[in-house]
Amino acid sequence: MALSEFNLIERFFCQQRVKNLSTQLGIGDDCALLTLPSGYQLAVTTDTMVENVHFFAGTDPAQLGHKLLAVNLSDLASMGAKPVSVSLALTLPTVNEDWLAAFAQGFLDLANRYHVDLIGGDTTAGPLTLTVHALGLVPQGKALTRSAAKVGDFIYVTGSLGDAGLGLKIKQGYVCHHPDDALQRFNCPSPQVEIGLALIDIAHACIDISDGLAADLGHILQKSQVGACLDWEALPLSCSTQDYIADTGDWLLPLTAGDDYELCFTVSPENSAHLSVPCHKIGIIEAQSGLRLRRSGGVQTLAMKGFEHFS
Amino acid sequence: MALSEFNLIERFFCQQRVKNLSTQLGIGDDCALLTLPSGYQLAVTTDTMVENVHFFAGTDPAQLGHKLLAVNLSDLASMGAKPVSVSLALTLPTVNEDWLAAFAQGFLDLANRYHVDLIGGDTTAGPLTLTVHALGLVPQGKALTRSAAKVGDFIYVTGSLGDAGLGLKIKQGYVCHHPDDALQRFNCPSPQVEIGLALIDIAHACIDISDGLAADLGHILQKSQVGACLDWEALPLSCSTQDYIADTGDWLLPLTAGDDYELCFTVSPENSAHLSVPCHKIGIIEAQSGLRLRRSGGVQTLAMKGFEHFS
């Protein structure tokens, strides 16, 4: 990394003091160095956000910094992993110091909330593209995977479904009477880190809802070689999303819209009595493959897909 | 990650079998899971390559896949870390299957050489931008850092200096009688992984030469709060680079051109007797700050900079 880039990162991102015991050497060398505790596995994830694909040009940089980190912490949460440290690869068309300062603030505020250290990265010139790589710790053998769902498990989700998708519709021009909550969900999602940690030894399979419930639950069903039936009446929908559906007829929104970053997980009937996290039971894992929805007195099959690039 | 993206990665990158003992769960879940041996620190690095900034449009995809991984393994090598696993964030303008197959081949051939597992990533649509995040292991407390140079240390480099820079000049139109070696060095650099490992307990400071010797040695000098004097006659230059300098007068090329991915390291006079790796002694660490060059009977001061984005 060249001197000026190095200074750029030093200036905006090194205000942060080391907060995580594992960080032995942070930003400023060829590599960061971590000492990890024994008895844990390292959970590793990467997510990229590209201007005009994942976010609109002109997006508030503080919100963008927050969201970029949130989507990565959400992946850790879905494995039941405690976040430890992150690296940031920033590709920027120009160096706008105000933009960078706000972006760094949004990013670091969320990092600080979870005692996550920014341990390195790369700054390059080019079209605005942001990649975070996140590391977390999960007790050895306890990670929540996509492949662990069992027939008979109850299916749960946290929060409400489709609000971020509604936020996107509002950004695209849909007129909503009370847009603030939906916009907040789209702009500043909250990773469900605490809930992921609390699901260890309770849940079987878990995933975060980034591409829509049908697509993400679909990953669990495929990896676990099972099927599922959801109950429309049980889906947690905000008043705004209910109004949107009544207004437009687009009832698929909460099933297919991405960006919710809530957790979807499965729990055995026995363990469901021990569930102590705020969540909603929305269906059951079945032996028959495929994803079904009980709605208006009938059962229909849902495509297991949501938002796709290159589709 | 949406289904079609997932399939893309599965198809081109999952031919690879798990080769590294640490990999408990590879591509296909929200996170990969690693179990790391005790007594080691985790070394973490990230590098991004952007089309038209770090490589020309139309670059051979197999060479690009190789180089992208090589520059990251080079960062691990410069800490004395053994590479373990990598994640790949691919931002692609379109899905060209031939391009992807060749890129994956170049990437995985090098990964396989070092028993490195590709454990995850993200595939997104957008301007061609490639980010690798690499993890390595180094014995606890033994990492080679930029800040460990001591006054009196001898300065060494591996390989020869400026050949990749000459390769870039050739790509830009410079006519060289024997261009193949320089082009190979530019297109397909070799990370000095084995040499990095062999320098543990021998070298003090170490860095890889990605932005030019003056800039990268400059990082060592700044972090170690020392200076250095190099001996022009001792710099290892290939015949092609010597011819280029004789032809153009551009004698700064081997000091400022990037992309060599050789190692520059410092060793105490006592330890230099134990050096068993192929390398060249090019100067000495001094108490006086700054970087100096002994050349043509005089000593001149060098700017500690090389290639910079945003400069």
Side-chain angles (χ1 to χ4, degrees):
Chain A
M1 190 182 297
L3 286 172
S4 61
E5 299 165 48
F6 181 77
N7 291 341
L8 198 71
I9 290 186
E10 286 261 299
R11 178 147 161 223
F12 289 106
F13 289 99
C14 288
Q15 319 139 12
Q16 211 204 19
R17 280 183 309 165
V18 167
K19 276 169 293 306
N20 199 294
L21 279 178
S22 65
T23 310
Q24 303 288 301
L25 183 66
I27 293 174
D29 214 303
D30 289 277
C31 298
L33 293 173
L34 306 182
T35 300
L36 301 174
S38 60
Y40 289 83
Q41 284 179 305
L42 187 71
V44 184
T45 186
T46 301
D47 263 303
T48 298
M49 290 173 61
V50 182
E51 188 177 51
N52 295 320
V53 177
H54 301 85
F55 58 93
F56 296 103
T59 292
D60 176 83
Q63 289 178 346
L64 189 60
H66 171 99
K67 187 165 179 174
L68 176 67
L69 181 55
V71 304
N72 280 277
L73 298 188
S74 180
D75 278 324
L76 293 177
S78 72
M79 304 290 283
K82 185 178 169 63
V84 170
S85 45
V86 291
S87 304
L88 172 61
L90 272 181
T91 303
L92 302 170
T94 56
V95 174
N96 175 330
E97 298 199 3
D98 291 340
W99 189 95
L100 267 173
F103 176 84
Q105 196 64 53
F107 189 94
L108 294 178
D109 280 353
L110 182 60
N112 292 345
R113 191 183 309 166
Y114 290 107
H115 302 279
V116 170
D117 286 328
L118 177 65
I119 55 169
D122 194 7
T123 312
T124 51
L128 188 57
T129 307
L130 314 162
T131 296
V132 161
H133 189 274
L135 301 175
L137 291 172
V138 60
Q140 182 75 36
K142 300 287 192 184
L144 307 169
T145 62
R146 299 178 178 185
S147 58
K150 301 269 183 282
V151 173
D153 278 0
F154 297 150
I155 303 167
Y156 293 85
V157 291
T158 60
S160 54
L161 295 169
D163 289 337
L166 178 58
L168 175 59
K169 297 277 183 196
I170 294 167
K171 301 271 282 185
Q172 291 170 328
Y174 176 74
V175 178
C176 174
H177 293 306
H178 304 286
D180 291 356
D181 283 357
L183 284 171
Q184 175 72 10
R185 287 285 305 275
F186 178 75
N187 291 326
C188 282
S190 295
Q192 301 301 332
V193 174
E194 297 85 355
I195 292 180
L197 293 172
L199 291 177
I200 293 270
D201 284 330
I202 301 284
H204 281 156
C206 187
I207 197 167
D208 71 320
I209 305 174
S210 54
D211 296 320
L213 177 65
D216 291 314
L217 176 56
H219 289 309
I220 287 181
L221 303 186
Q222 285 184 311
K223 286 278 179 182
S224 301
Q225 297 185 284
V226 293
C229 188
L230 301 177
D231 180 2
W232 171 259
E233 298 296 332
L235 297 184
L237 304 181
S238 68
C239 294
S240 294
T241 295
Q242 291 181 46
D243 288 349
Y244 166 82
I245 293 172
D247 181 28
T248 64
D250 178 18
W251 61 271
L252 281 169
L253 178 93
L255 293 160
T256 58
D259 267 348
D260 274 331
Y261 301 105
E262 297 293 344
L263 297 182
C264 172
F265 54 95
T266 80
V267 181
S268 68
E270 309 82 70
N271 272 0
S272 64
H274 306 299
L275 258 181
S276 60
V277 301
C279 59
H280 308 273
K281 181 177 152 190
I282 61 168
I284 190 162
I285 297 292
E286 298 177 335
Q288 186 195 343
S289 66
L291 177 58
R292 291 162 292 280
L293 178 69
R294 194 178 307 277
R295 179 169 179 264
S296 307
V299 173
Q300 59 197 111
T301 298
L302 292 175
M304 291 186 284
K305 68 178 190 181
F307 177 75
E308 295 193 12
H309 301 289
F310 308 124
S311 60
Chain B
M1 190 181 298
L3 287 172
S4 60
E5 299 165 49
F6 182 78
N7 291 340
L8 199 70
I9 290 185
E10 287 260 299
R11 179 148 160 224
F12 289 105
F13 289 98
C14 288
Q15 318 139 13
Q16 210 203 19
R17 279 182 311 163
V18 168
K19 275 170 291 309
N20 199 294
L21 279 177
S22 65
T23 310
Q24 303 288 302
L25 183 65
I27 293 173
D29 215 302
D30 289 277
C31 298
L33 293 172
L34 306 183
T35 300
L36 302 174
S38 60
Y40 289 84
Q41 284 179 305
L42 187 71
V44 184
T45 186
T46 300
D47 263 304
T48 297
M49 291 174 61
V50 183
E51 187 176 52
N52 295 320
V53 177
H54 301 85
F55 58 92
F56 296 104
T59 291
D60 176 83
Q63 288 179 345
L64 189 59
H66 171 100
K67 187 166 179 174
L68 175 67
L69 181 56
V71 304
N72 280 277
L73 297 188
S74 180
D75 279 324
L76 293 177
S78 72
M79 304 290 283
K82 186 177 168 63
V84 170
S85 45
V86 292
S87 303
L88 172 61
L90 271 181
T91 302
L92 302 170
T94 54
V95 174
N96 174 329
E97 298 199 2
D98 291 342
W99 190 95
L100 266 173
F103 176 85
Q105 196 65 53
F107 189 95
L108 294 179
D109 280 353
L110 182 58
N112 291 345
R113 192 184 309 165
Y114 290 106
H115 301 281
V116 170
D117 287 327
L118 177 66
I119 56 169
D122 194 6
T123 311
T124 51
L128 189 57
T129 308
L130 313 163
T131 296
V132 161
H133 188 273
L135 301 175
L137 291 173
V138 61
Q140 183 76 35
K142 300 287 192 183
L144 307 169
T145 62
R146 298 178 178 185
S147 59
K150 301 267 181 282
V151 173
D153 279 0
F154 297 149
I155 303 168
Y156 293 85
V157 292
T158 61
S160 53
L161 296 168
D163 289 336
L166 178 58
L168 175 59
K169 298 275 184 195
I170 294 167
K171 300 272 281 187
Q172 291 171 328
Y174 176 74
V175 177
C176 174
H177 292 306
H178 304 288
D180 291 355
D181 283 357
L183 285 171
Q184 175 73 11
R185 286 286 303 276
F186 178 75
N187 291 325
C188 283
S190 295
Q192 301 301 335
V193 174
E194 296 83 355
I195 292 180
L197 293 172
L199 291 176
I200 293 269
D201 284 330
I202 300 285
H204 281 157
C206 187
I207 196 167
D208 70 322
I209 305 175
S210 54
D211 297 320
L213 177 65
D216 291 313
L217 176 56
H219 290 308
I220 287 181
L221 303 185
Q222 286 184 309
K223 286 278 178 182
S224 300
Q225 298 184 281
V226 293
C229 187
L230 301 178
D231 180 2
W232 171 259
E233 297 297 332
L235 297 185
L237 305 181
S238 68
C239 294
S240 294
T241 295
Q242 292 180 47
D243 289 348
Y244 166 83
I245 293 172
D247 181 28
T248 64
D250 177 19
W251 60 272
L252 281 169
L253 178 92
L255 293 159
T256 57
D259 266 349
D260 272 333
Y261 302 105
E262 297 293 343
L263 297 183
C264 173
F265 53 95
T266 80
V267 181
S268 67
E270 309 82 70
N271 273 358
S272 64
H274 305 300
L275 259 181
S276 60
V277 301
C279 58
H280 308 273
K281 181 178 153 189
I282 61 168
I284 191 164
I285 297 291
E286 299 177 335
Q288 185 194 344
S289 65
L291 177 58
R292 290 163 292 282
L293 178 69
R294 194 178 307 276
R295 179 167 179 266
S296 307
V299 173
Q300 59 196 110
T301 298
L302 292 176
M304 292 187 283
K305 66 179 192 182
F307 177 76
E308 294 194 14
H309 300 289
F310 309 122
S311 60

